[in-house]
Amino acid sequence: MDKSNAIFIVLVILIGVAVFFIVKNDKAPEDVGKIQISQSKKSNETNSNVVLAPEISGVTPDGKALNVRDFKGKVVVVDFWASWCAPCRQFIPTLSNIYSRYKDKGLEIVGVYVDNRDPNLANMRSIKKQFGTSWHQIVGQGAFESARRYNVMGIPHIALIAKDGSIVMQNVRDRYDIEKYIIQELNK
């Protein structure tokens, strides 16, 4: 076997190995939007089967650090959104209504602003003012990193985190579903 054939065989093997690992690590369509346990930590508390939601952290528009895990003991709605996303803006009144009814009962909402078209946050501030929203927002690089941890493939993407820090559901788009699950989690 000459040198060029040997190099060709080695290249074919390397390409085959690379393709194998790419295909092996690729998500099937039914897995999109689901949390992988490898991305989360198991709780050391009484229920060792509880899988903690992946971390959501970053800075607020005012530059303060914010981590959703600081809200442990509360039910947290996480809203991945952007100002250019019409369905995101259409869901804001629903979230406002839910927040006003349940914030005093242990509900928090955290917006994760994944809008790379609004670097100075003017659009976000305008929308917050327009709808009168008062919940927390995470912006900048932390928002995009959080979206990756949650496998967000499209927005709006709503996630619900239980009082114990576990993920209850993701990619919720129906007001009645999310409100039903919020009530269930608040009553636990």
Side-chain angles (χ1 to χ4, degrees), residues 93-158:
T94 296
L95 290 176
S96 287
N97 190 343
I98 289 171
Y99 188 60
S100 67
R101 288 200 318 248
Y102 300 108
K103 68 181 178 182
D104 295 333
K105 296 176 180 156
L107 176 70
E108 287 291 339
I109 295 180
V110 176
V112 181
Y113 191 60
V114 289
D115 192 339
N116 56 6
R117 300 178 191 174
D118 188 22
N120 64 4
L121 307 178
N123 293 338
M124 184 204 67
R125 287 185 172 100
S126 174
I127 290 169
K128 283 186 68 165
K129 184 177 179 181
Q130 175 187 353
F131 290 103
T133 63
S134 60
W135 54 80
H136 303 280
Q137 297 288 331
I138 292 176
V139 298
Q141 190 61 36
F144 291 98
E145 290 169 5
S146 297
R148 276 193 294 279
R149 286 186 205 109
Y150 275 74
N151 300 317
V152 173
M153 301 296 178
I155 54 175
H157 184 103
I158 307 285

